[in-house]
Amino acid sequence: MSAAVPIRYVIRPARPEAHLFEVSCTVAQPDAAGQRFSLPAWIPGSYMIREFARNIVSLRAEAGGKPVKLEKLDKHSWRAAPVAAGKALTLHYEVYAWDLSVRAAHLDQTHGFFNGTSVFLAVEGQVDAPCLVDIQPPPATAAKGWKVATALPRAAGERGAAKAYGFGLYRAANYDELIDHPVEMGRYTLAHFEAGGVRHDIVLTGRHDCDTARLARDLERVCNWQIELFGAPTPMDYYAFLTLIVGDGYGGLEHRASTALIASRGDLPWPGMKGLPDGYKTFLGLCSHEYFHTWNVKRIKPAAFTPYDLAQENYTRLLWAFEGFTSYYDDLALVRSGVLPAEDYLGLLGKTVSAVLRGSGRLKQSVAESSFDAWTKYYRQDENAPNAIVSYYAKGSLIALALDLQLREASAGKRSLDDVMRLLWQRHGRTGAGVAEDGIYAAVAEIGGDALAAWLRKTVEGTDDLPLARLLKGFGVGYKAEAASAAPVLGAKLAGSGEVKLANVYDGGAAQAAGLSAGDVLVAVDGLKAGSVAAVEAMLARRQPGERVELHAFRRDELMRFELTLAAAPAESIKLTLADKPTPAARRLRKGWLGA
């Protein structure tokens, strides 16, 4: 069987009104014993079994114009009956695409989007074969003005090869590359910039008033800084930010030469905008995060992901480094590139510290355990999540911060976490060798010594809070913990518009002690209607810690009464500030860290 014979796919947004892609896969040299096909159960970067095969609504096979029997083997695998020698085998199938996320596929009359993991069946035994993909336009009634945006290379030299941003033939070196290039099609706004000598496109789908020139300028600075951190040349020769604009949304998923993003319309910069509104900081941080993944997790990756097994969970205890370190650098890249003032960066950092401290799950689960359990806990959070789990994103980013500060202080600014990332890039990113489960500790030991590596291991595998106040003081940064509000608290998160529901009940809080549970619908406080979250908060603002209140709530369809003693808000809101008169040593360290 020759690996040089390409697998040929055709994908067409055949029925946008029904959200259906038509796909075909042709195998020139199918397995003589019966060719097997399978669709991934998950997508790299999103660690949860998604069961994409459930969206295949019809499937048939043919060879030489005659039908071929298909046998379903399990939830996402099929086997075609053997065909005569020399006959090509073609599968035809429809995929339902109505998942408005960055993980799967979405199609309607306004645009189409897909990840390869959702639409392209793998030809088992031939996943290393090259692939040709014919991306076809929708019916003429919907196709006016539609273009294609993807980092998937065009099939230059092939008949029917796509032109820039056009429908037609694209190529991939193998199946892994094929499914790592999402595709956006429709009428979109296009902006671009160069970073590291490489063209970067910003693709905006959906209604917006974005100042694309401002966005391009800011992203250019951020991307150039990241490229300089790891060193030229860049690992890609083109990059695309594929962004779907919605009224209220947020999300991103990294790929080897692009990212799929969902952003709120109000988070984009607008003409005449002054400063950096919080929403725009959020969007820039998202772009920075996914771009940093170009190195950290797409190329520097855990050994457990080399190669990916897309049929089942791939367990690693290292997501605290691959997602947590990336979460540290996403906002840090904004300040180091000069896009974000240092004071604003410290504000964002303080919010991260506060978020980690608010969850008692941090005292029960280590970030190593959180990484390993991502498949069953972090990506399947329920109402008890704040009490049971810790975010390997958020606490992982704070571990990166603590590690970076210690490396800088111990070396008087000569070494930092940047050196660790560059070492990992040289040893693993450039070579393709996966990082062993203890590989991060080994890299830290090489840069910062065995004692620091031992501290890191203990921190990652333990549940102690980080000594951030002490570490930041050495960099001329003040750390202050205060209550988020002077009003007493219930010890629960309230949510809802038409009704007031307890979304989460926190361990050790007043609500839990009184017997309230997540899901309870609060209807009255001391006999007064709990008409909205704001109304309840206004009632609490008039009380004092230690006062008792009577609550009535529905649990399912039963009205229940509770007596609760209000508690003072905990001092877990963290404010970080630049010290007015840092020591000369602290000033030098801060300058190297933040440039301020």
Side-chain angles (χ1 to χ4, degrees):
M1 185 178 295
S2 172
V5 180
I7 309 297
R8 301 185 73 97
Y9 295 88
V10 177
I11 183 165
R12 184 168 73 95
R15 297 178 59 196
E17 75 286 355
H19 321 302
L20 290 173
F21 282 106
E22 285 184 356
V23 189
S24 69
C25 173
T26 299
V27 187
Q29 298 176 337
D31 189 332
Q35 182 60 57
R36 292 175 58 118
F37 299 85
S38 61
L39 196 68
W42 64 283
I43 182 169
S46 184
Y47 306 107
M48 177 178 170
I49 297 299
R50 302 283 176 183
E51 313 292 20
F52 295 122
R54 74 186 190 278
N55 291 317
I56 295 180
V57 297
S58 67
L59 178 65
R60 63 183 177 87
E62 66 174 14
K66 296 181 179 180
V68 174
K69 183 179 178 181
L70 280 173
E71 176 188 5
K72 192 164 187 179
L73 304 175
D74 55 34
K75 60 188 177 182
H76 54 222
S77 302
W78 295 261
R79 180 171 57 218
V83 301
K87 295 284 187 181
L89 173 67
T90 299
L91 261 60
H92 299 275
Y93 53 102
E94 289 182 313
V95 178
Y96 181 67
W98 196 235
D99 183 340
L100 191 65
S101 76
V102 297
R103 297 178 297 269
H106 189 262
L107 175 65
D108 62 15
Q109 298 93 325
T110 66
H111 88 122
F113 169 82
F114 63 82
N115 285 289
T117 45
S118 297
V119 298
F120 295 134
L121 285 163
V123 181
E124 296 190 7
Q126 299 191 47
V127 293
D128 293 328
C131 303
L132 290 173
V133 185
D134 186 1
I135 302 176
Q136 297 186 352
T141 53
K144 185 177 180 181
W146 278 39
K147 299 176 290 184
V148 173
T150 180
L152 192 65
R154 287 175 281 147
E158 295 281 351
R159 184 176 180 181
K163 297 180 180 179
Y165 310 108
F167 292 95
L169 209 58
Y170 292 78
R171 72 167 76 243
N174 49 45
Y175 183 77
D176 182 63
E177 180 177 317
L178 173 68
I179 61 174
D180 207 11
H181 290 288
V183 174
E184 172 69 28
M185 60 178 72
R187 293 176 288 273
Y188 54 75
T189 303
L190 181 66
H192 73 273
F193 61 89
E194 281 204 358
V198 170
R199 181 182 174 102
H200 290 61
D201 277 347
I202 303 169
V203 177
L204 302 177
T205 301
R207 298 181 184 180
H208 65 85
D209 61 351
C210 180
D211 181 347
T212 55
R214 167 72 183 273
L215 179 58
R217 286 196 305 272
D218 289 342
L219 284 181
E220 178 183 358
R221 296 166 74 178
V222 174
C223 293
N224 268 318
W225 184 85
Q226 293 191 21
I227 291 168
E228 291 170 5
L229 170 67
F230 288 100
T234 60
M236 68 290 186
D237 55 14
Y238 167 78
Y239 193 89
F241 293 92
L242 306 178
T243 311
L244 179 64
I245 307 304
V246 296
D248 183 20
Y250 175 88
L253 189 64
E254 69 274 5
H255 296 276
R256 67 181 64 190
S258 62
T259 178
L261 305 169
I262 288 182
S264 296
R265 189 171 295 110
D267 287 351
L268 298 177
W270 61 89
M273 183 186 78
K274 304 297 183 184
L276 286 168
D278 287 347
Y280 187 42
K281 293 177 195 173
T282 298
F283 181 64
L284 285 177
L286 175 65
C287 293
S288 179
H289 182 99
E290 304 305 338
Y291 194 72
F292 197 84
H293 273 316
T294 306
W295 294 268
N296 194 37
V297 93
K298 294 311 300 181
R299 290 168 176 86
I300 309 167
K301 62 178 65 175
F305 293 172
T306 52
Y308 294 112
D309 181 352
L310 296 177
Q312 61 185 353
E313 296 90 342
N314 294 191
Y315 293 101
T316 176
R317 289 178 167 81
L318 293 178
L319 294 181
W320 56 269
F322 289 96
E323 291 293 353
F325 282 20
T326 301
S327 296
Y328 172 59
Y329 274 103
D330 55 21
D331 287 338
L332 190 64
L334 303 185
V335 68
R336 286 199 188 164
S337 63
V339 171
L340 186 71
E343 293 84 356
D344 288 11
Y345 169 72
L346 293 178
L348 295 173
L349 187 57
K351 289 180 180 179
T352 301
V353 180
S354 302
V356 172
L357 293 178
R358 289 192 184 107
S360 63
R362 78 188 195 282
L363 304 174
K364 303 164 190 171
Q365 185 189 50
S366 70
V367 291
E369 292 168 333
S370 180
S371 299
F372 193 84
D373 291 338
W375 304 89
T376 56
K377 291 189 176 182
Y378 188 80
Y379 272 86
R380 294 183 182 272
Q381 294 188 27
D382 59 19
E383 66 283 347
N384 195 49
N387 303 324
I389 67 174
V390 66
S391 168
Y392 53 77
Y393 284 85
K395 189 172 180 182
S397 73
L398 299 183
I399 290 172
L401 166 67
L403 178 59
D404 195 12
L405 297 182
Q406 290 178 88
L407 282 165
R408 291 175 181 276
E409 189 165 29
S411 66
K414 295 178 181 178
R415 291 185 298 276
S416 71
L417 188 57
D418 298 354
D419 297 295
V420 176
M421 297 309 303
R422 283 189 282 263
L423 176 62
L424 291 170
W425 173 240
Q426 294 299 324
R427 296 272 177 83
H428 300 281
R430 287 193 179 279
T431 66
V435 179
E437 291 295 292
D438 63 352
I440 305 296
Y441 308 130
V444 169
E446 188 167 340
I447 299 298
D450 292 339
L452 188 56
W455 170 87
L456 178 62
R457 183 187 293 270
K458 180 181 178 182
T459 301
V460 165
E461 296 178 354
T463 58
D464 291 344
D465 286 333
L466 296 160
L468 294 179
R470 174 177 60 80
L471 294 174
L472 288 165
K473 184 178 181 181
F475 286 72
V477 173
Y479 180 107
K480 182 180 180 182
E482 56 189 22
S485 169
V489 294
L490 295 176
K493 179 180 179 181
L494 304 179
S497 51
E499 60 184 18
V500 180
K501 181 177 287 189
L502 276 68
N504 306 106
V505 172
Y506 301 128
D507 268 354
Q512 188 184 72
L516 285 153
S517 299
D520 289 350
V521 177
L522 190 60
V523 294
V525 179
D526 279 342
L528 297 176
K529 181 180 179 180
S532 66
V533 174
V536 174
E537 290 175 344
M539 293 179 194
L540 294 178
R542 304 172 73 91
R543 307 302 181 92
Q544 297 296 320
E547 286 189 38
R548 293 186 64 79
V549 296
E550 180 187 53
L551 303 179
H552 283 84
F554 276 108
R555 181 170 298 169
R556 299 178 297 275
D557 59 349
E558 298 179 16
L559 183 64
M560 302 180 71
R561 174 183 174 278
F562 304 88
E563 286 193 1
L564 182 148
T565 301
L566 294 173
E572 57 190 15
S573 182
I574 306 303
K575 305 295 182 184
L576 303 180
T577 55
L578 295 174
D580 292 332
K581 297 180 180 180
T583 66
R587 187 183 298 277
R588 287 192 296 271
L589 287 171
R590 193 172 74 190
K591 181 74 173 178
W593 174 41
L594 298 180

